[in-house]
Amino acid sequence: MRSKLLQMLIDHQGHFVSGEAISNHLGCSRTAVWKHIEELRKAGYKLEAAPRKGYRIIHQPNVLTESEIKAGLATRYLGMNVHYDKSVNSTQEIAHRISREGAPEGTIVVADEQVAGKGRLGREWFSPIGTGIWMSMILKPKIPPQQAPQLTLLTAVAVIRGVKAATGIQCDIKWPNDILLNGKKLVGILTEMQADPDQIHSVIIGTGINVNETDFPEEIKEIATSLKIEKEEEINRATVIKRILEHFEELYELFLEEGFLPIKKMWEDHAITVGREITARTTTKTLHGFACGITDDGVLLLKDETGEIHKIYSADIEF
Ligand code: BT5
């Protein structure tokens, strides 16, 4: 009910919506409308009420509650279930648990803060309260487990498009799981799986996006940035989430129908890893050479100085 009301007010942003129109739309009494409006006010929304005109929205708080994410979200299933907590260890942990307990495909887990946010290989992900997007998506694709890493690249394209749609900001993709803005890390993606050798139970895709951070800890100060730092204005996190989910669902459907190839082409339009000298650090070795491209499966190809081509499945890349 609250998301429907919010949606209606957001759709008419700046204009009044009459109490009667709201009660008809929601199928509830005028008194019930008034109660919902009061609830929204308590949650931090500034709403103007005028006699005979109705209500209009003046200010939306920068919150990530279920109603805020769902209001105006144009997806069919992604984000239809939102699991929101103010503070968690890691949204990945929660997504794994609720997925095992039966949460449907498309469920998203969002938190305002992570106290033990995870990067790859046990690294830490800095996730302070109230500023960024710390989100995990639960997917249950019927694909062979070895194709799951392609979903990291698909997510990168969806995030690039979603951020562009919500803010106008154009970012770049650094293979495999980083999105950079002006050369600094804006987004990290972590793809994890629950699977048997030949069957996926679920893929949990974690996305950490620096949105309204103005400062970072010493260790990442030089390498990290946020949308606010670059745009010099506060960005509404729920809007960014909605646009990302919409692009993700569209690309995911395409991926399930036609495979990775169409996604690969879109990915290449934004990738800055390819066509340059790089150093790739895998867990077992360090390779230097020219990044020639990615394969049709999303694997990075690196040509070393002897001309040998190496397939790189996962690594940290330096330019
Ligand atoms: C990643 O790992 O980039 C994946 C990050 C995924 C985070 C999301 S948030 C929602 C979900 N829940 C989780 O617990 N995790 C996911 P990796 O490529 O290993 O990069 C980690 C490195 O990035 C760290 O060692 C730092 O150097 C740097 N880093 C940490 N926090 C950062 C931040 N907020 N912004 C930019 N860089 C950061």
Side-chain angles (χ1 to χ4, degrees):
M1 193 75 100
R2 197 166 119 178
S3 331
K4 256 181 133 180
L5 170 58
L6 245 188
Q7 164 75 68
M8 204 177 176
L9 293 168
I10 291 172
D11 282 348
H12 293 83
Q13 198 106 40
H15 302 280
F16 283 100
V17 188
S18 73
E20 191 186 352
I22 298 174
S23 76
N24 287 342
H25 185 68
L26 300 186
C28 66
S29 68
R30 298 284 292 270
T31 319
V33 170
W34 181 83
K35 278 190 188 151
H36 290 304
I37 293 279
E38 284 311 298
E39 262 182 37
L40 286 178
R41 284 195 169 125
K42 277 191 203 129
Y45 293 84
K46 286 209 179 90
L47 300 161
E48 187 183 349
R52 287 184 302 279
K53 285 184 175 166
Y55 303 95
R56 75 171 167 182
I57 205 157
I58 292 178
H59 167 79
Q60 291 169 246
N62 206 336
V63 289
L64 290 180
T65 53
E66 182 170 0
S67 354
E68 188 65 39
I69 291 172
K70 283 186 175 174
L73 173 64
T75 55
R76 284 192 299 116
Y77 52 89
L78 193 56
M80 284 300 119
N81 279 312
V82 177
H83 182 113
Y84 167 79
D85 284 304
K86 194 146 187 66
S87 180
V88 299
N89 278 330
S90 156
T91 55
Q92 291 292 97
E93 269 174 29
I94 293 176
H96 277 291
R97 177 173 54 76
I98 66 172
S99 176
R100 274 193 298 267
E101 290 167 359
E105 167 155 88
T107 301
I108 65 164
V109 178
V110 181
D112 225 15
E113 171 190 47
Q114 297 186 119
V115 293
K118 297 196 292 179
R120 292 177 302 159
L121 306 168
R123 294 176 193 139
E124 280 177 31
W125 183 259
F126 172 65
S127 328
I129 190 151
T131 54
I133 293 173
W134 325 124
M135 168 170 85
S136 299
M137 293 185 274
I138 299 176
L139 303 171
K140 309 202 169 179
K142 293 194 173 36
I143 55 168
Q146 60 273 22
Q147 280 180 17
Q150 296 167 1
L151 288 168
T152 303
L153 309 191
L154 185 155
T155 306
V157 177
V159 172
I160 290 262
R161 291 184 168 196
V163 165
K164 178 84 202 288
T167 65
I169 294 176
Q170 184 68 61
C171 311
D172 305 303
I173 305 176
K174 182 175 162 209
W175 186 92
N177 70 320
D178 289 353
I179 290 180
L180 306 185
L181 178 52
N182 296 331
K184 293 185 169 186
K185 185 155 171 170
L186 180 78
V187 178
I189 299 165
L190 176 67
T191 302
E192 297 177 316
M193 238 194 318
Q194 296 171 14
D196 293 331
D198 57 352
Q199 193 198 357
I200 289 180
H201 300 299
S202 61
V203 179
I204 311 292
I205 303 185
T207 309
I209 308 176
N210 301 320
V211 182
N212 290 318
E213 289 75 5
T214 47
D215 205 6
F216 290 95
E218 214 45 53
E219 318 86 81
I220 56 170
K221 239 192 175 92
E222 298 301 317
I223 58 159
T225 192
S226 74
L227 291 171
K228 183 171 181 178
I229 290 174
E230 303 298 328
K231 197 158 182 187
E232 296 182 342
E233 65 184 51
E234 185 91 1
I235 311 276
N236 186 285
R237 289 175 295 162
T239 308
V240 177
I241 291 183
K242 281 181 257 217
R243 301 296 89 81
I244 291 174
L245 295 179
E246 287 158 6
H247 282 285
F248 187 95
E249 190 178 276
E250 195 187 321
L251 297 174
Y252 183 59
E253 291 287 298
L254 182 67
F255 171 75
L256 294 178
E257 277 168 30
E258 296 182 24
F260 182 62
L261 216 55
I263 310 296
K264 176 183 178 234
K265 295 205 173 76
M266 299 173 195
W267 184 89
E268 282 166 343
D269 287 343
H270 301 292
I272 51 165
T273 319
V274 174
R276 62 203 292 176
E277 292 292 325
I278 60 164
T279 302
R281 290 179 214 288
T282 72
T283 44
T284 52
K285 57 186 172 215
T286 299
L287 292 161
H288 305 277
F290 183 75
C292 344
I294 57 167
T295 65
D296 288 352
D297 301 325
V299 177
L300 185 68
L301 296 173
L302 182 145
K303 191 176 183 181
D304 70 17
E305 59 211 17
T306 69
E308 189 184 344
I309 296 202
H310 302 264
K311 279 186 156 188
I312 301 180
Y313 293 88
S314 181
D316 285 312
I317 305 295
E318 279 163 34
F319 302 134

